[in-house]
Amino acid sequence: MMRNPKNKTSFKKKKPNQRNQGPNPNKKPKVQENKVFIYRPDMTVADAAKGFGITNAAMIKKLMNQGLMSTVTQEIDRDTIEIIALDDGFTVEDEVITDVTRYDEMEIVDDPKDLIKRPPIVTVMGHVDHGKTTLLDTIRKSRVVEGEAGGITQHIGAYQIERNGEKITFIDTPGHAAFTEMRARGAKVTDLVILVVAADDGVMPQTLEALDHAKAAQVPIIVAVNKVDRPTANPDRVMTELSERGLVPEAWGGDTPFVQVSALKNQNIDELLDVIQLLSELNEFKANPKRLAKGTVIEASLDKGRGPIATLIVETGTLKVGNFIVIGNTYGKIRTMNDDLGQRYDEALPSQPIEVTGLNEVPEAGDIFMAFDDEKVTRNIADSRQSRARDQELKQMKKRSLDSLLGELEQEERELNLIIKGDVQGSIEALKGLLEKIDIEGFRVNVVRSSVGAITENDVVLASASDAIIIGFNVRPTAAVKRDADNQGVEIRLYSVIYRVQEDIEAALKGMLEPEYEEVVTGQAEVRELFKVSRIGTIAGCMVTDGVVKRDALVRILRDGIVIYEGKLASLKRFKDDVREVRQGYECGLSIENYNDLKIGDIVEASQLREIEV
Ligand code: GDP
């Protein structure tokens, strides 16, 4: 797809005075070559280098020529790619995904006349105890519930309210983990973020974390300065602190709406909702209800009575009872749909959160679903997604250990991403400073997050999304987090002495300068007969019982399961002929360098050194 010929010469700028160049080399060789760069969203500098068929170093140089300092893992925007493409005679085209099993990566293009307005989807984020849950509760209670069914709500992870004839969807799972997890998996399930900051507490670590996530998602942020009912409330401080982080209040000439509220006392919540609706008007969120639905899983669980259930948010299209859907790597047929008030629906429209039953397995939060017409198609898509996911998982498991992590990166600009968690700010700062200063040519340590606190699931999600290793300094993960990290192949390294961290990281980086080898066992042979040959030594008549034994193998002699000798093969023969290898089920004669004490029944285990790749 995005493969360009590896043949470097085809990309070299040709000098006009070069000979054997073909006719008229002055005349735009670029166009003749018709080189195409396939653009995908979220491409990194390394991806772009691949796309142009150049090395990472060359790519970085090109960016430098444009005045951009970047690293290989950084994202590169389309404009920059266009500029470089123009220089090098490439035309840029969007990747067109036609493989329906990758429906989650496909961009849906609608005819503008099919698009209608859809409600905004709002996520509430902020530091713990600043009032996220209270705010979501207060807003939920504010809705006028029709009929007698009202009052009893059930948590399904999202809800909608109606105000002035317009709906607003709230994701009711406060916390960044859900948000990051979804973003990490490519789900764009938030249109607006409400950043809750307690006026009596001010900007705290998780406020900043939330801010980072919201900024990364490139969605408008509304600040809810909460708990203004408290005597110690100091909203101005919050405004100042956030201004320093780039969120300048509208009142101060910036463009971030700040609303002072009390979630507990239900003060000014109306104004907050006004701002949400105003921002949605400005942003014109739209979708096409006329197509088969596509959307995201917000929550999922296994219900004793109802089987796997999931709360979905329809991003576009209309989801109907009876639809077949692929959801992550599983599938199902929608049996029932209900909202958090227990109200049943036959159809769910864009931005509508809905709890569904009828799935075969429990999907994961952040999974993307899509409805299809046909059951068999649906099942086939789910099957092939499942096997692909397994392959990828295996690859990732290999990928992320500290030693192999760097091995798989390109030669020129290797970057080691780290997340540092520690017990006190001082040691974290010290550690960060030391690690970022590590100066080994061609390597860079990049600290993607450093904060005080225990290692959390959120860290694991970020580590997984950014291929980072987590360094815990005087902090430990809980068993659940550890398990999570293991499952996702994220490496957590724990330390209590600063210089040990530095040593380890340096050693790992240095180690990567040399190719790494690993020993791979290729096969085994069993000794069946022995021939003593003067001048040569002992020749063992063997049967290869497993795999293959190669002439250049390293061998281990096992007797009753114990390694009694390690060395190299001196000869390998089939009958009288020297051979390069002997496979399972064949007999052979072999001798071992400097070792003659073989016995019948010994196992010769053959292995090969292989340079580690991936
Ligand atoms: P979360 O961790 O961000 O979800 O915070 P919670 O919503 O659980 O609130 C933490 C605490 O702050 C609870 O005891 C709430 O009652 C209290 N709280 C939340 N909002 C307000 C508010 O506007 N005013 C006051 N005085 N207390 C609040």
Side-chain angles (χ1 to χ4, degrees), residues 285-345:
F285 305 117
K286 287 187 168 159
N288 173 12
K290 287 191 206 150
R291 58 164 57 254
L292 286 163
K294 183 182 174 199
T296 308
V297 178
I298 301 296
E299 275 187 7
S301 58
L302 190 62
D303 185 275
K304 273 197 196 119
R306 297 183 293 165
I309 53 173
T311 299
L312 313 179
I313 285 201
V314 178
E315 188 185 306
T316 187
T318 300
L319 186 66
K320 297 179 180 162
V321 167
N323 275 168
F324 298 101
I325 67 169
V326 181
I327 184 163
N329 301 323
T330 179
Y331 73 103
K333 181 181 181 184
I334 305 289
R335 200 161 55 215
T336 62
M337 297 201 285
N338 60 272
D339 64 11
D340 66 317
L341 294 165
Q343 226 153 4
R344 291 286 192 113
Y345 292 81

Side-chain angles (χ1 to χ4, degrees), residues 396-406 416-421 455-456 459-472 477 481-495 504-505 508:
Q396 286 186 350
M397 291 299 288
K398 281 195 218 143
K399 197 166 89 179
R400 291 217 184 86
S401 77
L402 181 52
D403 294 328
S404 63
L405 181 86
L406 292 149
L416 176 61
N417 286 338
L418 295 179
I419 291 177
I420 304 175
K421 299 298 294 250
I455 298 167
T456 63
D459 297 323
V460 174
V461 171
L462 184 65
S464 170
S466 55
D467 275 355
I469 289 164
I470 301 176
I471 304 280
V481 171
K482 177 97 181 54
R483 208 163 38 237
D484 202 27
D486 287 346
N487 288 341
Q488 300 199 43
V490 168
E491 186 172 5
I492 298 180
R493 297 174 76 94
L494 304 169
Y495 298 88
D504 260 22
I505 300 295

Side-chain angles (χ1 to χ4, degrees), residues 349-388:
L349 292 167
S351 295
Q352 187 172 346
I354 201 87
E355 188 182 65
V356 303
T357 63
L359 309 175
N360 288 312
E361 283 168 55
V362 181
E364 284 178 42
D367 277 348
I368 299 197
F369 76 85
M370 186 144 165
F372 293 92
D373 286 323
D374 182 278
E375 180 164 17
K376 207 165 147 205
V377 170
T378 311
R379 190 185 317 159
N380 287 344
I381 293 173
D383 283 350
S384 67
R385 287 175 64 84
Q386 207 157 48
S387 59
R388 196 164 58 218

Side-chain angles (χ1 to χ4, degrees), residues 61-211:
K61 214 165 181 184
K62 279 183 188 295
L63 291 169
M64 255 150 82
N65 291 341
Q66 304 293 332
L68 298 167
M69 302 301 287
S70 49
T71 59
V72 282
T73 53
Q74 229 162 336
E75 272 181 29
I76 182 167
D77 61 53
R78 192 181 168 127
D79 287 350
T80 311
I81 284 177
E82 295 265 6
I83 292 168
I84 289 169
L86 198 68
D87 262 8
D88 289 12
F90 279 81
T91 46
V92 180
E93 285 176 12
D94 284 308
E95 182 186 27
V96 180
I97 298 171
T98 49
D99 174 5
V100 73
T101 67
R102 289 168 64 192
Y103 67 86
D104 49 340
E105 298 167 62
M106 279 182 188
E107 198 179 344
I108 292 182
V109 184
D110 282 303
D111 189 333
K113 70 175 188 306
D114 292 329
L115 296 176
I116 56 154
K117 198 166 147 184
R118 64 170 177 83
I121 303 169
V122 182
T123 301
V124 176
M125 302 210 281
H127 194 73
V128 64
D129 273 350
H130 279 198
K132 298 178 293 292
T133 315
T134 312
L135 181 64
L136 281 161
D137 276 351
T138 305
I139 294 173
R140 186 172 32 224
K141 283 185 205 136
S142 76
R143 66 184 155 185
V144 189
V145 179
E146 318 97 44
E148 300 80 56
I152 308 152
T153 58
Q154 165 209 357
H155 175 91
I156 68 164
Y159 65 86
Q160 263 187 335
I161 65 164
E162 193 166 326
R163 195 167 176 275
N164 306 330
E166 307 271 357
K167 293 192 164 96
I168 308 173
T169 302
F170 287 93
I171 301 210
D172 193 8
T173 44
H176 315 153
F179 186 80
T180 321
E181 172 131 10
M182 286 180 207
R183 275 229 334 122
R185 299 150 129 257
K188 293 183 186 78
V189 80
T190 294
D191 299 313
L192 302 172
V193 164
I194 298 182
L195 183 61
V196 176
V197 189
D200 59 344
D201 203 19
V203 169
M204 298 301 276
Q206 285 164 19
T207 315
L208 297 177
E209 203 177 280
L211 190 57

